[in-house]
Amino acid sequence: EMSEMSERSQQNVAHGLAWSYYVGYLKIVLPRIKKSMEEFSRANPHMLVCKETWKLHILVPLNCDICDDLEKADSNIQYLTDLPETTLTRAGTKKRVYKQSLYTIRDEDNKLWHCAVEYATPLQSLYAMSQDECAAFSREDRLEQAKLFYRTLEEILKGSGECAGTYRLVVYEESGEAETHFLSREILWHLRQQRHEEYAVNEGNQLDNPSTTPISTELNLQISESDLPLPLRSDGF
């Protein structure tokens, strides 16, 4: 009975998506990301100068609207190349390929930054559900589930020792007004913050508060109690 109630209210959707994303993808690729970045850096020593940014930058738009082509989402973001891929046999598929793309981000001074970046693909499922009448999934449900997905994924990754220092979650909510370079500015803020962190560590100084903060830090990510996943047991424990 508890399980049926939970399914009717979609309370376990985001929780399940976050765990599936971690177990089926991030747990595989994140422990290998630094090695891939290191291999690329050896061949291109002037591109990835800041080791603190040798992470997979995972975009988490709370409206779940994902653009398959980042270059179309923001002209200041340009595809550069693919990092060395990982090939594994998974679930009956021989030589399944896992790879991440490296992008060039152009800032307001025409300076070029480089990083591995991609969207959190499970958000596409949340968006598709909100567009399908059969799912009975409203836009409000989608927003709450996107927040829950982010919070759940953040907690999972924080508890994963093998993924420590290999990722950066870039959560954001676009304003109603169309901003041509909104996405590149969000990514650039995180890149600058990481460079500042590396500089502070190398210099032995404490990290100062940045003068500007991205929109993502101002987001209200609180989730109502009713949106938390419910236990399937009904024995009170």
Side-chain angles (χ1 to χ4, degrees):
E1 182 178 347
M2 291 290 292
S3 179
E4 290 178 0
M5 291 174 60
S6 179
E7 290 175 9
R8 284 198 298 269
S9 59
Q10 295 101 18
Q11 287 173 341
N12 286 331
V13 173
H15 189 260
L17 284 175
W19 270 104
S20 177
Y21 184 45
Y22 168 70
V23 174
Y25 179 67
L26 295 181
K27 192 175 181 181
I28 297 170
V29 304
L30 287 182
R32 297 171 170 84
I33 192 72
K34 284 188 180 293
K35 182 179 179 181
S36 295
M37 301 285 275
E38 185 178 2
E39 289 180 21
F40 179 85
S41 182
R42 282 199 298 266
N44 304 272
H46 301 297
M47 288 189 178
L48 300 175
V49 294
C50 179
K51 289 188 178 182
E52 189 63 30
T53 63
W54 290 11
K55 302 172 183 177
L56 182 61
H57 295 74
I58 303 170
L59 304 178
V60 185
L62 293 182
N63 64 0
C64 300
D65 191 2
I66 290 176
C67 183
D68 290 326
D69 192 339
L70 282 171
E71 294 173 309
K72 292 181 179 179
D74 191 322
S75 60
N76 279 349
I77 303 174
Q78 295 294 317
Y79 168 79
L80 181 61
T81 187
D82 290 331
L83 291 171
E85 62 190 35
T86 297
T87 303
L88 299 172
T89 297
R90 295 277 295 178
T93 301
K94 296 289 186 180
K95 299 180 180 180
R96 177 169 290 181
V97 175
Y98 298 85
K99 64 180 180 180
Q100 292 71 48
S101 296
L102 199 65
Y103 285 87
T104 297
I105 316 295
R106 185 182 301 275
D107 67 15
E108 59 277 5
D109 298 320
N110 283 325
K111 179 181 176 181
L112 301 181
W113 302 66
H114 302 91
C115 69
V117 58
E118 61 187 48
Y119 284 102
T121 52
L123 295 179
Q124 286 182 314
S125 298
L126 290 178
Y127 188 84
M129 288 177 67
S130 69
Q131 303 297 308
D132 193 321
E133 293 182 0
C134 296
F137 203 73
S138 69
R139 290 185 179 181
E140 291 74 19
D141 292 331
R142 185 180 71 196
L143 176 60
E144 290 302 310
Q145 290 298 307
K147 292 178 182 179
L148 179 56
F149 172 84
Y150 167 71
R151 295 285 295 274
T152 305
L153 183 61
E154 184 180 42
E155 289 302 312
I156 293 171
L157 289 172
K158 281 183 178 179
S160 174
E162 58 191 323
C163 294
T166 64
Y167 67 92
R168 182 90 171 190
L169 296 179
V170 183
V171 59
Y172 61 91
E173 185 172 21
E174 295 191 51
S175 61
E177 301 178 1
E179 297 183 51
T180 307
H181 301 302
F182 173 88
L183 186 55
S184 60
R185 287 193 291 107
E186 279 288 309
I187 298 172
L188 283 167
W189 187 92
H190 283 270
L191 293 176
R192 286 169 174 148
Q193 181 72 355
Q194 290 170 91
R195 175 167 290 189
H196 185 58
E197 290 169 359
E198 182 174 66
Y199 173 79
V201 170
N202 290 339
E203 293 297 317
N205 298 325
Q206 291 185 348
L207 179 64
D208 297 324
N209 292 326
S211 57
T212 58
T213 57
I215 297 174
S216 58
T217 62
E218 300 172 2
L219 292 175
N220 178 11
L221 294 173
Q222 292 185 351
I223 305 168
S224 60
E225 183 177 347
S226 61
D227 291 310
L228 295 176
L230 297 176
L232 299 182
R233 298 176 61 180
S234 57
D235 54 7
F237 296 92

